[in-house]
Amino acid sequence: PVLCAKLFIMASDSMQATIVLKAGREKSVTRRHPWIFSGAIIKTTGRPGPGETVAAFSADGKFLAWAAYSPESQIRARVWSYDPGDVIGPDFFKREIAQSIERRKLVAPDESVTNAYRMINSESDNLPGLIVDKYGDTLVLQSLTAGSELHKDLFADILAEATGCRTIYERSDAETRGQEGMEPVTGILRGGPATEKVEIVENGLKFLVDIAGGHKTGFYLDQRENRRILREFAAGRDVLNCFCYTGGFSVNALAGGANRVVSVDSSEPALEFAAENVALNGYESGNCEWAREDVFQYLRGCVSRGAKFDLIVLDPPKFAASREHLIKAGRAYKDINMLAMKSLNPGGLLFTFSCSGAVGPEDFRKAVAWAALDAPAETRIIKILTQAPDHPVTLNFPQAEYLKGLVVQIF
Ligand code: SAH
């Protein structure tokens, strides 16, 4: 308490900006949830600018955290540190970045097997707003909040030094930047010129990644472990990969000895890219089929033709952008899963996913259960899937968990 009071006096004396929370609203911060909402703040001093570090205090003057201020966002401040002794600056960020990199050694221990992974995952690595994905020797950086934006150049310098990666490409074009009052930014941050397509290795398979034009930072790294699991189940099966993007699951199905792989996506460039990735790994194109079509339409066609598969992957884009879209999204998940169940042979496997953070694991499981009732199909859950561990979730920040998946056997 003495230290806290001292800090409080220091803070109000110096130029250090502060925020004071309403009585009771400090609870989530003391439980180490890193978001401070605008409605929780009763007083702001020092006129903090976008991203500036503020000291957060409880109503009774206790120091809570150092946080990045974001004047435009409903999430008005995001916590960097709960330690009053920390100084939010180069040494602090060097330490946090070094620790994130160190933690990845457990997740991707052998770069000859997997050299592409998420190195920094925002709040889950104590660095709110900063996403860094490593694709071989190239880093792709995404800055999503006012706080990460203010320190972006510093982050780039620290990352270049810590990893030895020469190219850092920026993909700060996620929609959520708008909520922070920031425009999209993309381009080379360090080194370069970035080659358009970077070749990576994931669980021993090769993929080309378009870091400048691909989805997210170029590749769905979050599905790495699930693709490997699919490989284990693919032998001798007729596989349908819906929403195939650049063919992650298709190539893994072939690696696992699938009999035939049909890949569906509405995007022609994605399909071309996927075919390129199949060839890159030396698989014959003879047992691959490509369909540029809406997946709902394609599956309805399968049902009416009576076409059947032994394994179907459903990895759709986010159906629910927020909780408001839950009902509509639930119906879409139900419909698509029902159509897939109808298109599976008895004993067939459904790999079904939802990447909507707003849809919880229970909501998702309910949608799949409704699908089974209507198909109708008898089901057994073979595996429960989630995002790869380089996209970690901390117990205090469950919002980081967004990818849910089930492997369901259909009878
Ligand atoms: N499973 C992929 C990632 C899927 S991303 C992987 O492992 O890499 C979602 C994909 O769905 C995108 O490629 C997008 O082009 C495609 N898509 C979105 N809506 C679609 C629709 N209605 N029908 C078919 N494809 C669609």
mmCIF file of all heavy atoms in Angstrom, residues 178-226:
data_model
loop_
_atom_site.group_PDB
_atom_site.id
_atom_site.type_symbol
_atom_site.label_atom_id
_atom_site.label_comp_id
_atom_site.label_asym_id
_atom_site.label_seq_id
_atom_site.Cartn_x
_atom_site.Cartn_y
_atom_site.Cartn_z
ATOM 1 N N GLY A 178 -10.212 -0.869 -37.367
ATOM 2 C CA GLY A 178 -11.196 0.203 -37.453
ATOM 3 C C GLY A 178 -11.748 0.587 -36.091
ATOM 4 O O GLY A 178 -11.987 1.761 -35.803
ATOM 5 N N GLN A 179 -11.946 -0.420 -35.227
ATOM 6 C CA GLN A 179 -12.479 -0.159 -33.883
ATOM 7 C C GLN A 179 -11.500 0.649 -33.035
ATOM 8 O O GLN A 179 -11.856 1.215 -32.012
ATOM 9 C CB GLN A 179 -12.794 -1.483 -33.173
ATOM 10 C CG GLN A 179 -13.932 -2.243 -33.824
ATOM 11 C CD GLN A 179 -13.918 -3.717 -33.478
ATOM 12 O OE1 GLN A 179 -13.310 -4.137 -32.501
ATOM 13 N NE2 GLN A 179 -14.591 -4.525 -34.276
ATOM 14 N N GLU A 180 -10.254 0.670 -33.455
ATOM 15 C CA GLU A 180 -9.229 1.437 -32.743
ATOM 16 C C GLU A 180 -8.996 2.788 -33.430
ATOM 17 O O GLU A 180 -8.096 3.531 -33.058
ATOM 18 C CB GLU A 180 -7.914 0.661 -32.743
ATOM 19 C CG GLU A 180 -7.983 -0.663 -32.029
ATOM 20 C CD GLU A 180 -7.764 -0.540 -30.522
ATOM 21 O OE1 GLU A 180 -6.835 0.177 -30.128
ATOM 22 O OE2 GLU A 180 -8.540 -1.131 -29.764
ATOM 23 N N GLY A 181 -9.784 3.050 -34.473
ATOM 24 C CA GLY A 181 -9.638 4.302 -35.212
ATOM 25 C C GLY A 181 -8.407 4.318 -36.101
ATOM 26 O O GLY A 181 -7.849 5.370 -36.379
ATOM 27 N N MET A 182 -7.982 3.118 -36.541
ATOM 28 C CA MET A 182 -6.766 3.063 -37.353
ATOM 29 C C MET A 182 -7.064 2.522 -38.745
ATOM 30 O O MET A 182 -7.864 1.624 -38.924
ATOM 31 C CB MET A 182 -5.719 2.175 -36.672
ATOM 32 C CG MET A 182 -5.392 2.643 -35.258
ATOM 33 S SD MET A 182 -3.977 1.819 -34.502
ATOM 34 C CE MET A 182 -4.377 0.098 -34.645
ATOM 35 N N GLU A 183 -6.364 3.096 -39.731
ATOM 36 C CA GLU A 183 -6.496 2.669 -41.128
ATOM 37 C C GLU A 183 -5.689 1.392 -41.351
ATOM 38 O O GLU A 183 -4.725 1.138 -40.623
ATOM 39 C CB GLU A 183 -5.931 3.759 -42.052
ATOM 40 C CG GLU A 183 -6.645 5.096 -41.976
ATOM 41 C CD GLU A 183 -8.038 5.026 -42.562
ATOM 42 O OE1 GLU A 183 -8.211 4.372 -43.610
ATOM 43 O OE2 GLU A 183 -8.965 5.608 -41.960
ATOM 44 N N PRO A 184 -6.026 0.617 -42.403
ATOM 45 C CA PRO A 184 -5.180 -0.540 -42.721
ATOM 46 C C PRO A 184 -3.802 -0.108 -43.242
ATOM 47 O O PRO A 184 -3.704 0.909 -43.931
ATOM 48 C CB PRO A 184 -5.964 -1.262 -43.822
ATOM 49 C CG PRO A 184 -7.038 -0.341 -44.261
ATOM 50 C CD PRO A 184 -7.210 0.733 -43.252
ATOM 51 N N VAL A 185 -2.782 -0.853 -42.871
ATOM 52 C CA VAL A 185 -1.424 -0.601 -43.361
ATOM 53 C C VAL A 185 -0.807 -1.932 -43.771
ATOM 54 O O VAL A 185 -0.866 -2.897 -43.015
ATOM 55 C CB VAL A 185 -0.519 0.008 -42.248
ATOM 56 C CG1 VAL A 185 0.873 0.315 -42.798
ATOM 57 C CG2 VAL A 185 -1.141 1.247 -41.635
ATOM 58 N N THR A 186 -0.215 -1.982 -44.965
ATOM 59 C CA THR A 186 0.522 -3.187 -45.363
ATOM 60 C C THR A 186 1.803 -2.759 -46.073
ATOM 61 O O THR A 186 1.887 -1.646 -46.579
ATOM 62 C CB THR A 186 -0.276 -4.077 -46.352
ATOM 63 O OG1 THR A 186 -0.540 -3.308 -47.528
ATOM 64 C CG2 THR A 186 -1.594 -4.552 -45.778
ATOM 65 N N GLY A 187 2.769 -3.639 -46.061
ATOM 66 C CA GLY A 187 4.019 -3.349 -46.774
ATOM 67 C C GLY A 187 5.232 -3.815 -46.001
ATOM 68 O O GLY A 187 5.116 -4.365 -44.916
ATOM 69 N N ILE A 188 6.400 -3.565 -46.598
ATOM 70 C CA ILE A 188 7.644 -4.030 -45.974
ATOM 71 C C ILE A 188 8.001 -3.124 -44.796
ATOM 72 O O ILE A 188 8.014 -1.911 -44.914
ATOM 73 C CB ILE A 188 8.779 -4.034 -47.020
ATOM 74 C CG1 ILE A 188 8.476 -5.083 -48.088
ATOM 75 C CG2 ILE A 188 10.123 -4.319 -46.363
ATOM 76 C CD1 ILE A 188 9.321 -4.941 -49.320
ATOM 77 N N LEU A 189 8.251 -3.743 -43.642
ATOM 78 C CA LEU A 189 8.658 -2.988 -42.450
ATOM 79 C C LEU A 189 10.178 -2.977 -42.314
ATOM 80 O O LEU A 189 10.768 -1.975 -41.910
ATOM 81 C CB LEU A 189 8.070 -3.650 -41.199
ATOM 82 C CG LEU A 189 6.880 -3.026 -40.503
ATOM 83 C CD1 LEU A 189 6.554 -3.808 -39.244
ATOM 84 C CD2 LEU A 189 7.112 -1.567 -40.157
ATOM 85 N N ARG A 190 10.784 -4.119 -42.584
ATOM 86 C CA ARG A 190 12.248 -4.242 -42.499
ATOM 87 C C ARG A 190 12.719 -5.160 -43.620
ATOM 88 O O ARG A 190 12.027 -6.127 -43.960
ATOM 89 C CB ARG A 190 12.677 -4.880 -41.174
ATOM 90 C CG ARG A 190 12.423 -4.046 -39.934
ATOM 91 C CD ARG A 190 13.372 -2.853 -39.853
ATOM 92 N NE ARG A 190 13.110 -2.065 -38.652
ATOM 93 C CZ ARG A 190 12.156 -1.143 -38.511
ATOM 94 N NH1 ARG A 190 11.326 -0.913 -39.522
ATOM 95 N NH2 ARG A 190 12.020 -0.477 -37.391
ATOM 96 N N GLY A 191 13.902 -4.870 -44.148
ATOM 97 C CA GLY A 191 14.515 -5.737 -45.148
ATOM 98 C C GLY A 191 13.746 -5.709 -46.444
ATOM 99 O O GLY A 191 13.289 -4.658 -46.860
ATOM 100 N N GLY A 192 13.620 -6.876 -47.060
ATOM 101 C CA GLY A 192 12.893 -6.959 -48.307
ATOM 102 C C GLY A 192 13.838 -6.873 -49.482
ATOM 103 O O GLY A 192 15.049 -6.904 -49.301
ATOM 104 N N PRO A 193 13.396 -6.808 -50.736
ATOM 105 C CA PRO A 193 11.970 -6.859 -51.023
ATOM 106 C C PRO A 193 11.406 -8.250 -50.704
ATOM 107 O O PRO A 193 12.080 -9.249 -50.911
ATOM 108 C CB PRO A 193 11.913 -6.595 -52.525
ATOM 109 C CG PRO A 193 13.255 -7.020 -53.039
ATOM 110 C CD PRO A 193 14.231 -6.812 -51.931
ATOM 111 N N ALA A 194 10.217 -8.274 -50.177
ATOM 112 C CA ALA A 194 9.609 -9.554 -49.824
ATOM 113 C C ALA A 194 9.281 -10.312 -51.092
ATOM 114 O O ALA A 194 8.705 -9.746 -52.009
ATOM 115 C CB ALA A 194 8.348 -9.312 -49.014
ATOM 116 N N THR A 195 9.676 -11.574 -51.133
ATOM 117 C CA THR A 195 9.239 -12.394 -52.250
ATOM 118 C C THR A 195 7.751 -12.620 -52.048
ATOM 119 O O THR A 195 7.300 -12.782 -50.924
ATOM 120 C CB THR A 195 9.952 -13.762 -52.266
ATOM 121 O OG1 THR A 195 10.074 -14.187 -50.931
ATOM 122 C CG2 THR A 195 11.310 -13.672 -52.926
ATOM 123 N N GLU A 196 7.018 -12.626 -53.141
ATOM 124 C CA GLU A 196 5.570 -12.724 -53.023
ATOM 125 C C GLU A 196 5.142 -14.027 -52.352
ATOM 126 O O GLU A 196 4.284 -14.061 -51.496
ATOM 127 C CB GLU A 196 4.955 -12.647 -54.402
ATOM 128 C CG GLU A 196 3.897 -11.578 -54.487
ATOM 129 C CD GLU A 196 3.412 -11.444 -55.895
ATOM 130 O OE1 GLU A 196 2.897 -12.446 -56.412
ATOM 131 O OE2 GLU A 196 3.557 -10.347 -56.464
ATOM 132 N N LYS A 197 5.823 -15.118 -52.783
ATOM 133 C CA LYS A 197 5.456 -16.410 -52.225
ATOM 134 C C LYS A 197 6.628 -16.972 -51.433
ATOM 135 O O LYS A 197 7.730 -17.097 -51.964
ATOM 136 C CB LYS A 197 5.062 -17.374 -53.345
ATOM 137 C CG LYS A 197 3.719 -17.011 -53.954
ATOM 138 C CD LYS A 197 3.293 -18.027 -54.995
ATOM 139 C CE LYS A 197 1.976 -17.599 -55.638
ATOM 140 N NZ LYS A 197 1.563 -18.513 -56.700
ATOM 141 N N VAL A 198 6.360 -17.280 -50.200
ATOM 142 C CA VAL A 198 7.377 -17.839 -49.325
ATOM 143 C C VAL A 198 7.090 -19.323 -49.194
ATOM 144 O O VAL A 198 5.942 -19.717 -49.010
ATOM 145 C CB VAL A 198 7.285 -17.163 -47.935
ATOM 146 C CG1 VAL A 198 8.286 -17.767 -46.965
ATOM 147 C CG2 VAL A 198 7.482 -15.663 -48.045
ATOM 148 N N GLU A 199 8.139 -20.154 -49.310
ATOM 149 C CA GLU A 199 7.923 -21.592 -49.128
ATOM 150 C C GLU A 199 8.187 -21.965 -47.679
ATOM 151 O O GLU A 199 9.210 -21.616 -47.115
ATOM 152 C CB GLU A 199 8.847 -22.396 -50.062
ATOM 153 C CG GLU A 199 8.481 -23.865 -50.084
ATOM 154 C CD GLU A 199 9.354 -24.688 -51.026
ATOM 155 O OE1 GLU A 199 9.501 -24.294 -52.204
ATOM 156 O OE2 GLU A 199 9.880 -25.712 -50.575
ATOM 157 N N ILE A 200 7.230 -22.673 -47.099
ATOM 158 C CA ILE A 200 7.387 -23.098 -45.706
ATOM 159 C C ILE A 200 7.301 -24.619 -45.630
ATOM 160 O O ILE A 200 6.886 -25.278 -46.584
ATOM 161 C CB ILE A 200 6.289 -22.492 -44.800
ATOM 162 C CG1 ILE A 200 4.882 -22.915 -45.270
ATOM 163 C CG2 ILE A 200 6.416 -20.985 -44.723
ATOM 164 C CD1 ILE A 200 3.842 -22.970 -44.197
ATOM 165 N N VAL A 201 7.668 -25.155 -44.472
ATOM 166 C CA VAL A 201 7.462 -26.576 -44.230
ATOM 167 C C VAL A 201 6.621 -26.707 -42.955
ATOM 168 O O VAL A 201 6.864 -26.023 -41.953
ATOM 169 C CB VAL A 201 8.801 -27.354 -44.180
ATOM 170 C CG1 VAL A 201 9.791 -26.691 -43.261
ATOM 171 C CG2 VAL A 201 8.600 -28.799 -43.781
ATOM 172 N N GLU A 202 5.563 -27.519 -43.075
ATOM 173 C CA GLU A 202 4.658 -27.726 -41.943
ATOM 174 C C GLU A 202 4.486 -29.231 -41.753
ATOM 175 O O GLU A 202 3.991 -29.918 -42.649
ATOM 176 C CB GLU A 202 3.299 -27.072 -42.231
ATOM 177 C CG GLU A 202 2.319 -27.297 -41.100
ATOM 178 C CD GLU A 202 0.922 -26.792 -41.405
ATOM 179 O OE1 GLU A 202 0.682 -25.581 -41.239
ATOM 180 O OE2 GLU A 202 0.067 -27.603 -41.808
ATOM 181 N N ASN A 203 4.879 -29.716 -40.613
ATOM 182 C CA ASN A 203 4.846 -31.162 -40.352
ATOM 183 C C ASN A 203 5.396 -31.952 -41.536
ATOM 184 O O ASN A 203 4.820 -32.939 -41.970
ATOM 185 C CB ASN A 203 3.418 -31.611 -40.024
ATOM 186 C CG ASN A 203 3.009 -31.167 -38.630
ATOM 187 O OD1 ASN A 203 3.813 -31.202 -37.701
ATOM 188 N ND2 ASN A 203 1.770 -30.729 -38.477
ATOM 189 N N GLY A 204 6.512 -31.459 -42.081
ATOM 190 C CA GLY A 204 7.211 -32.174 -43.147
ATOM 191 C C GLY A 204 6.658 -31.960 -44.541
ATOM 192 O O GLY A 204 7.220 -32.475 -45.507
ATOM 193 N N LEU A 205 5.564 -31.218 -44.681
ATOM 194 C CA LEU A 205 4.999 -30.946 -46.013
ATOM 195 C C LEU A 205 5.292 -29.505 -46.403
ATOM 196 O O LEU A 205 5.375 -28.623 -45.544
ATOM 197 C CB LEU A 205 3.485 -31.198 -46.000
ATOM 198 C CG LEU A 205 3.055 -32.639 -45.718
ATOM 199 C CD1 LEU A 205 1.541 -32.725 -45.550
ATOM 200 C CD2 LEU A 205 3.521 -33.573 -46.841
ATOM 201 N N LYS A 206 5.431 -29.303 -47.719
ATOM 202 C CA LYS A 206 5.786 -27.958 -48.192
ATOM 203 C C LYS A 206 4.541 -27.183 -48.627
ATOM 204 O O LYS A 206 3.630 -27.753 -49.224
ATOM 205 C CB LYS A 206 6.740 -28.072 -49.380
ATOM 206 C CG LYS A 206 8.112 -28.580 -48.989
ATOM 207 C CD LYS A 206 9.022 -28.595 -50.190
ATOM 208 C CE LYS A 206 9.406 -30.009 -50.558
ATOM 209 N NZ LYS A 206 10.112 -30.129 -51.816
ATOM 210 N N PHE A 207 4.551 -25.903 -48.334
ATOM 211 C CA PHE A 207 3.460 -25.030 -48.780
ATOM 212 C C PHE A 207 4.023 -23.692 -49.228
ATOM 213 O O PHE A 207 4.976 -23.184 -48.640
ATOM 214 C CB PHE A 207 2.457 -24.787 -47.639
ATOM 215 C CG PHE A 207 1.664 -26.007 -47.276
ATOM 216 C CD1 PHE A 207 2.069 -26.814 -46.214
ATOM 217 C CD2 PHE A 207 0.538 -26.364 -47.995
ATOM 218 C CE1 PHE A 207 1.355 -27.965 -45.886
ATOM 219 C CE2 PHE A 207 -0.183 -27.507 -47.671
ATOM 220 C CZ PHE A 207 0.231 -28.309 -46.615
ATOM 221 N N LEU A 208 3.406 -23.140 -50.268
ATOM 222 C CA LEU A 208 3.710 -21.768 -50.652
ATOM 223 C C LEU A 208 2.719 -20.861 -49.941
ATOM 224 O O LEU A 208 1.533 -21.176 -49.845
ATOM 225 C CB LEU A 208 3.567 -21.604 -52.168
ATOM 226 C CG LEU A 208 4.656 -22.282 -52.999
ATOM 227 C CD1 LEU A 208 4.263 -22.298 -54.471
ATOM 228 C CD2 LEU A 208 5.998 -21.577 -52.805
ATOM 229 N N VAL A 209 3.233 -19.761 -49.426
ATOM 230 C CA VAL A 209 2.385 -18.819 -48.691
ATOM 231 C C VAL A 209 2.504 -17.446 -49.335
ATOM 232 O O VAL A 209 3.609 -16.949 -49.555
ATOM 233 C CB VAL A 209 2.829 -18.741 -47.206
ATOM 234 C CG1 VAL A 209 2.009 -17.713 -46.447
ATOM 235 C CG2 VAL A 209 2.717 -20.113 -46.538
ATOM 236 N N ASP A 210 1.371 -16.861 -49.634
ATOM 237 C CA ASP A 210 1.352 -15.504 -50.183
ATOM 238 C C ASP A 210 1.203 -14.530 -49.018
ATOM 239 O O ASP A 210 0.097 -14.236 -48.568
ATOM 240 C CB ASP A 210 0.168 -15.384 -51.161
ATOM 241 C CG ASP A 210 0.037 -13.986 -51.738
ATOM 242 O OD1 ASP A 210 0.888 -13.126 -51.432
ATOM 243 O OD2 ASP A 210 -0.919 -13.766 -52.502
ATOM 244 N N ILE A 211 2.351 -14.045 -48.535
ATOM 245 C CA ILE A 211 2.302 -13.211 -47.321
ATOM 246 C C ILE A 211 1.694 -11.837 -47.596
ATOM 247 O O ILE A 211 1.121 -11.225 -46.704
ATOM 248 C CB ILE A 211 3.697 -13.041 -46.662
ATOM 249 C CG1 ILE A 211 4.693 -12.471 -47.668
ATOM 250 C CG2 ILE A 211 4.186 -14.343 -46.071
ATOM 251 C CD1 ILE A 211 5.924 -11.919 -47.013
ATOM 252 N N ALA A 212 1.779 -11.379 -48.843
ATOM 253 C CA ALA A 212 1.255 -10.041 -49.142
ATOM 254 C C ALA A 212 -0.241 -10.064 -49.448
ATOM 255 O O ALA A 212 -0.966 -9.149 -49.065
ATOM 256 C CB ALA A 212 2.018 -9.443 -50.322
ATOM 257 N N GLY A 213 -0.703 -11.141 -50.087
ATOM 258 C CA GLY A 213 -2.090 -11.121 -50.548
ATOM 259 C C GLY A 213 -2.984 -12.193 -49.955
ATOM 260 O O GLY A 213 -4.191 -12.202 -50.191
ATOM 261 N N GLY A 214 -2.408 -13.125 -49.172
ATOM 262 C CA GLY A 214 -3.202 -14.225 -48.631
ATOM 263 C C GLY A 214 -4.117 -13.781 -47.496
ATOM 264 O O GLY A 214 -4.052 -12.629 -47.050
ATOM 265 N N HIS A 215 -4.943 -14.683 -47.040
ATOM 266 C CA HIS A 215 -5.802 -14.384 -45.883
ATOM 267 C C HIS A 215 -4.952 -14.216 -44.620
ATOM 268 O O HIS A 215 -3.892 -14.796 -44.503
ATOM 269 C CB HIS A 215 -6.788 -15.530 -45.620
ATOM 270 C CG HIS A 215 -7.822 -15.671 -46.699
ATOM 271 N ND1 HIS A 215 -8.772 -16.658 -46.692
ATOM 272 C CD2 HIS A 215 -8.036 -14.952 -47.817
ATOM 273 C CE1 HIS A 215 -9.542 -16.532 -47.754
ATOM 274 N NE2 HIS A 215 -9.116 -15.514 -48.457
ATOM 275 N N LYS A 216 -5.480 -13.443 -43.672
ATOM 276 C CA LYS A 216 -4.780 -13.203 -42.393
ATOM 277 C C LYS A 216 -3.332 -12.777 -42.680
ATOM 278 O O LYS A 216 -3.123 -11.816 -43.402
ATOM 279 C CB LYS A 216 -4.839 -14.439 -41.500
ATOM 280 C CG LYS A 216 -6.283 -14.952 -41.292
ATOM 281 C CD LYS A 216 -6.548 -15.413 -39.886
ATOM 282 C CE LYS A 216 -6.027 -16.790 -39.608
ATOM 283 N NZ LYS A 216 -6.395 -17.229 -38.245
ATOM 284 N N THR A 217 -2.355 -13.522 -42.172
ATOM 285 C CA THR A 217 -0.966 -13.179 -42.522
ATOM 286 C C THR A 217 -0.460 -14.061 -43.652
ATOM 287 O O THR A 217 0.729 -14.078 -43.933
ATOM 288 C CB THR A 217 -0.029 -13.327 -41.300
ATOM 289 O OG1 THR A 217 -0.019 -14.712 -40.915
ATOM 290 C CG2 THR A 217 -0.491 -12.478 -40.121
ATOM 291 N N GLY A 218 -1.354 -14.811 -44.294
ATOM 292 C CA GLY A 218 -0.971 -15.613 -45.453
ATOM 293 C C GLY A 218 -1.400 -17.069 -45.378
ATOM 294 O O GLY A 218 -1.680 -17.684 -46.396
ATOM 295 N N PHE A 219 -1.437 -17.646 -44.166
ATOM 296 C CA PHE A 219 -1.694 -19.076 -44.041
ATOM 297 C C PHE A 219 -2.452 -19.323 -42.746
ATOM 298 O O PHE A 219 -2.281 -18.583 -41.777
ATOM 299 C CB PHE A 219 -0.343 -19.810 -43.998
ATOM 300 C CG PHE A 219 -0.403 -21.282 -44.327
ATOM 301 C CD1 PHE A 219 -0.810 -21.720 -45.571
ATOM 302 C CD2 PHE A 219 -0.010 -22.229 -43.383
ATOM 303 C CE1 PHE A 219 -0.831 -23.085 -45.875
ATOM 304 C CE2 PHE A 219 -0.030 -23.587 -43.685
ATOM 305 C CZ PHE A 219 -0.446 -24.009 -44.934
ATOM 306 N N TYR A 220 -3.279 -20.386 -42.728
ATOM 307 C CA TYR A 220 -4.009 -20.712 -41.504
ATOM 308 C C TYR A 220 -3.141 -21.614 -40.615
ATOM 309 O O TYR A 220 -3.310 -22.825 -40.564
ATOM 310 C CB TYR A 220 -5.360 -21.360 -41.834
ATOM 311 C CG TYR A 220 -6.333 -20.348 -42.388
ATOM 312 C CD1 TYR A 220 -6.343 -20.035 -43.736
ATOM 313 C CD2 TYR A 220 -7.198 -19.660 -41.543
ATOM 314 C CE1 TYR A 220 -7.211 -19.067 -44.244
ATOM 315 C CE2 TYR A 220 -8.067 -18.698 -42.042
ATOM 316 C CZ TYR A 220 -8.063 -18.411 -43.390
ATOM 317 O OH TYR A 220 -8.913 -17.452 -43.888
ATOM 318 N N LEU A 221 -2.209 -20.959 -39.939
ATOM 319 C CA LEU A 221 -1.282 -21.688 -39.070
ATOM 320 C C LEU A 221 -2.012 -22.373 -37.915
ATOM 321 O O LEU A 221 -1.545 -23.367 -37.372
ATOM 322 C CB LEU A 221 -0.244 -20.720 -38.497
ATOM 323 C CG LEU A 221 0.727 -20.107 -39.516
ATOM 324 C CD1 LEU A 221 1.478 -18.935 -38.895
ATOM 325 C CD2 LEU A 221 1.703 -21.149 -40.024
ATOM 326 N N ASP A 222 -3.173 -21.828 -37.560
ATOM 327 C CA ASP A 222 -3.929 -22.372 -36.420
ATOM 328 C C ASP A 222 -4.421 -23.803 -36.661
ATOM 329 O O ASP A 222 -4.736 -24.522 -35.718
ATOM 330 C CB ASP A 222 -5.117 -21.456 -36.069
ATOM 331 C CG ASP A 222 -5.987 -21.121 -37.271
ATOM 332 O OD1 ASP A 222 -5.674 -21.557 -38.403
ATOM 333 O OD2 ASP A 222 -6.996 -20.418 -37.082
ATOM 334 N N GLN A 223 -4.469 -24.250 -37.928
ATOM 335 C CA GLN A 223 -4.972 -25.588 -38.248
ATOM 336 C C GLN A 223 -3.868 -26.641 -38.353
ATOM 337 O O GLN A 223 -4.139 -27.783 -38.738
ATOM 338 C CB GLN A 223 -5.753 -25.551 -39.580
ATOM 339 C CG GLN A 223 -7.112 -24.857 -39.507
ATOM 340 C CD GLN A 223 -8.166 -25.737 -38.846
ATOM 341 O OE1 GLN A 223 -7.856 -26.659 -38.092
ATOM 342 N NE2 GLN A 223 -9.426 -25.445 -39.119
ATOM 343 N N ARG A 224 -2.627 -26.277 -38.027
ATOM 344 C CA ARG A 224 -1.504 -27.186 -38.269
ATOM 345 C C ARG A 224 -1.717 -28.566 -37.644
ATOM 346 O O ARG A 224 -1.579 -29.590 -38.300
ATOM 347 C CB ARG A 224 -0.202 -26.584 -37.744
ATOM 348 C CG ARG A 224 1.005 -27.474 -37.998
ATOM 349 C CD ARG A 224 2.277 -26.997 -37.290
ATOM 350 N NE ARG A 224 2.363 -25.563 -37.287
ATOM 351 C CZ ARG A 224 2.093 -24.811 -36.214
ATOM 352 N NH1 ARG A 224 1.791 -25.368 -35.075
ATOM 353 N NH2 ARG A 224 2.166 -23.503 -36.289
ATOM 354 N N GLU A 225 -2.059 -28.591 -36.363
ATOM 355 C CA GLU A 225 -2.182 -29.875 -35.668
ATOM 356 C C GLU A 225 -3.377 -30.664 -36.197
ATOM 357 O O GLU A 225 -3.345 -31.889 -36.274
ATOM 358 C CB GLU A 225 -2.342 -29.651 -34.154
ATOM 359 C CG GLU A 225 -1.150 -28.969 -33.509
ATOM 360 C CD GLU A 225 0.152 -29.684 -33.821
ATOM 361 O OE1 GLU A 225 0.215 -30.908 -33.604
ATOM 362 O OE2 GLU A 225 1.092 -29.026 -34.303
ATOM 363 N N ASN A 226 -4.433 -29.973 -36.564
ATOM 364 C CA ASN A 226 -5.639 -30.644 -37.059
ATOM 365 C C ASN A 226 -5.404 -31.252 -38.441
ATOM 366 O O ASN A 226 -5.951 -32.295 -38.771
ATOM 367 C CB ASN A 226 -6.807 -29.664 -37.057
ATOM 368 C CG ASN A 226 -7.038 -29.093 -35.673
ATOM 369 O OD1 ASN A 226 -6.772 -29.779 -34.678
ATOM 370 N ND2 ASN A 226 -7.490 -27.846 -35.585
#
